[in-house]
Amino acid sequence: MMGRRRFFTGIIPTTVWTSIAIRSLSCNAEAKTVEQTSFLILSTTEAETLSAWCNVIVTGAGNAGVAQFVDQSLSRAQLASLLLLRYLDASDMTGFYRNGIAGIEKESAHRFAQPFVQLTKSQQTEMIADAVASKMQVWSDPDPNFFYFISRSDAVDVVYGTEAGFVDLGIPYLAHITPPQPW
Amino acid sequence: MAKTSHAKVEVLIVGSGIAGSTMAVELGEAGFNVLVLEAGPERQLSDMVSSQIWSRRLRWAGPEVLESGDLVGAANFAMGWGTGGAGLHWYANWYRLHPDDFHVRSLYGRSLDWPIGYDDLRPWYDHAQAYFGVSGDTDPNAPPGASYPMPAMPVSKQSSAIKKGFAAEGLTLTPNTLAINSEPYNGRAGCLLDGWCDAGCPIGALANPLVLQWPRARKSGVDLRHNAYVTRLETDASGSKVTGAVYLDETGQENFQPADIVISACHTIWNARLLLLSSNDQHPNGLGNCSGTLGQYFTSHALTTIHGLFSEETEPHTGVSGANTLCLDGYDDKQPTTGAFGSRAWLVGQAAKPNDLLGTALAKPDLFGEALNKYLRRASAHYGNMTVLCEEDSIPENRITLDPSKRDRFGLPQAHVTNSLPKENAARSDLAKAEGLRIFKAAGTSDAWAGPQNPMHMMGGTIMGRDPSASVTNSFGQLHKVDNVFIAGASLFPTPGAINPTATLAALVFRTADYIRSNRSALVP
Ligand SMILES: Cc1cc2nc3c(=O)[nH]c(=O)nc-3n(C[C@H](O)[C@H](O)[C@H](O)COP(=O)(O)OP(=O)(O)OC[C@H]3O[C@@H](n4cnc5c(N)ncnc54)[C@H](O)[C@@H]3O)c2cc1C
Ligand code: SF4
């Protein structure tokens, strides 16, 4: 299979992580506030884990609907998928997310004997920093580093890749054809 | 299940991307009865939604490719699916190969030679740039040719910030050459520099097949059938002529489309796979594989992006997705130091939105949480980038094969691409990376870093050559032993140079179309 880690080589000093203060919700999270609670592919528990994971990576991603974004795309044919994963490995996109979410839970249980959503912010941050540094203890498949890369992209998509996200960053959108919905 | 059979056409083209659609226009306008079979769906300009998220719908949605080696990962990103193929989301950087790129084996004793030289292709490059509409200035480092039909794009704030770094290295930055209108051209609008090319240019400032080729093709009577996945070419009993193509339609029904001439234009991997899948008693190792080289000499460009944050505002969201400026200084020095081999080209100042593979956020994939938020706010106004393309030697070990143990969604053996960068090319790429970081530091970046090495563009696999025992086609893309089959696209390139392939691909299409027109009576009974 292709070298998935190829897109992600930056391993940064762990000291950077210790000072990170996580805000619970970002001011740009209105990008697409999603109330929906039922999912098409993911279970509610899986969606909550993914949402919490992405929310630590990009503040506001949970509220912006990252789990719904992933879930909706997984429910569609590859042709209609809006996920970045389709560029890199479209062989089993649902399996990739399912196994990645299971990996988060396995690692969380091993380290803290708790589901990821119930961890403290600093415990969640520690786990993500270790995904960046390829230092997961029990989660190996899919490669946690690559899962971080993909889920980070999904989180960036829903928070910063929309018209509202551009406004938040002070970037003029300048559309030729305005997206019918953020995603 | 019995195959549905259709009325015979004179020319059957497989794939509606830039190669297939340009060929369709050339032969349709010459009076041939032409049909194009396209695996993907019909596309409209209205599908080109300005969003990096929505743009993913335009991308490859065909069978998966297995990839192995140390320079892989480009396959799904590099290909299109549906009317116009990757021509709907390409960046339109437009360059000619340099004269030496055609004779690497003769000059350096490595890689391969083309069966033609720069002078053979020069008139077709001239023709292609007028046809597509290219803007640019004269560049003393570019090969000779006609002046570009449009002036260059204005130099962007990103390029202005980076330019002093090139000057400090004694290198010259010139305006880029692009198949994008710097002013209205042939009824198409001028570019608005809004940076959305990656999601498609619905106003047609960027030459894409929906605005350029398909209106002409339809006018000349070319027929286009979507959702038609070609699975093999059939030959007559002697094996010397192809009789047509088998394809699956959207219901999964097998169809047979008879034709006098078949042109495979379904991109590098799929051109090779289609010939491999077409093996029969007369061609046990694949159609056109009497030399054993079918699938071999796959090449890519080793790409590294240098990123930086500048003190001045760079407006990174503006400009075009392709580069704003270019440095070809030193391109012709293929041996810059002992142990390193290959040309390199710098493409400078690509427009960057926050998300997607080339976005500002993924430029720093290690950042998350507040650090990412802080970085993005600064990068949105101060980010700059440039990308180096480095040459890869053509070697037989890098190749496209079939993996019979794995089946794709159509039940066909999966395509397997093996690509590893030869050692001396890797050393060349390392030199370029160091050069890029020096340039960014000299330009005064507060923070400069290099991204990972990635492959970009896919070439080779059905290479042209003079010697039928060492190549798949002649210089017109015609199979050596089956003369009514032609290949169109970058899979024909014996060597890749270090520049984006589409200008060369287009020049070759025009040259082949001219050959088919001139030999009409021999090719169409
Ligand atoms: C993001 C991006 C940016 C790029 N930027 C540049 C650039 O700046 N400059 C440059 O020179 N090049 C660039 N390229 C490369 C350029 O897009 C390609 O060289 C060019 O589009 C290839 O054209 P093609 O017709 O050979 O293939 P494609 O455009 O891939 O078309 C092939 C078509 O064949 C169809 N097909 C495949 N298999 C079958 C089958 N079995 N049956 C029927 N149909 C089939 C596919 O659906 C597709 O529509 C870029 C590519 C990408 C992805
Ligand atoms: S930047 Fe120019 S070429 Fe690109 S999409 Fe906009 S108008 Fe089209």
Side-chain angles (χ1 to χ4, degrees), chain A residues 176, chain B residues 180 191-197 200-201 203 205-206 319-320:
Chain A
H176 288 291
Chain B
I180 297 181
C191 173
L192 303 175
L193 299 172
D194 48 58
W196 280 118
C197 326
C201 180
I203 66 165
L206 186 151
V320 294

Side-chain angles (χ1 to χ4, degrees), chain B residues 236-321:
Chain B
D236 62 13
S238 73
S240 62
K241 292 271 181 210
V242 153
T243 53
V246 177
Y247 71 92
L248 297 169
D249 62 25
E250 56 198 321
T251 66
Q253 166 72 34
E254 263 203 347
N255 292 250
F256 181 66
Q257 177 58 59
D260 292 322
I261 302 172
V262 175
I263 302 173
S264 180
C266 39
H267 210 141
T268 296
I269 295 173
W270 309 105
N271 279 343
R273 185 172 91 139
L274 183 55
L275 296 182
L276 288 166
L277 287 175
S278 304
S279 60
N280 58 21
D281 290 347
Q282 288 72 34
H283 302 275
N285 301 316
L287 201 60
N289 197 16
C290 44
S291 63
T293 57
L294 177 58
Q296 296 183 352
Y297 301 105
F298 176 89
T299 52
S300 183
H301 293 123
L303 167 155
T304 305
T305 300
I306 308 295
H307 311 268
L309 296 177
F310 291 80
S311 53
E312 58 265 60
E313 296 217 342
T314 54
E315 293 182 352
H317 59 283
T318 61
V320 294
S321 300

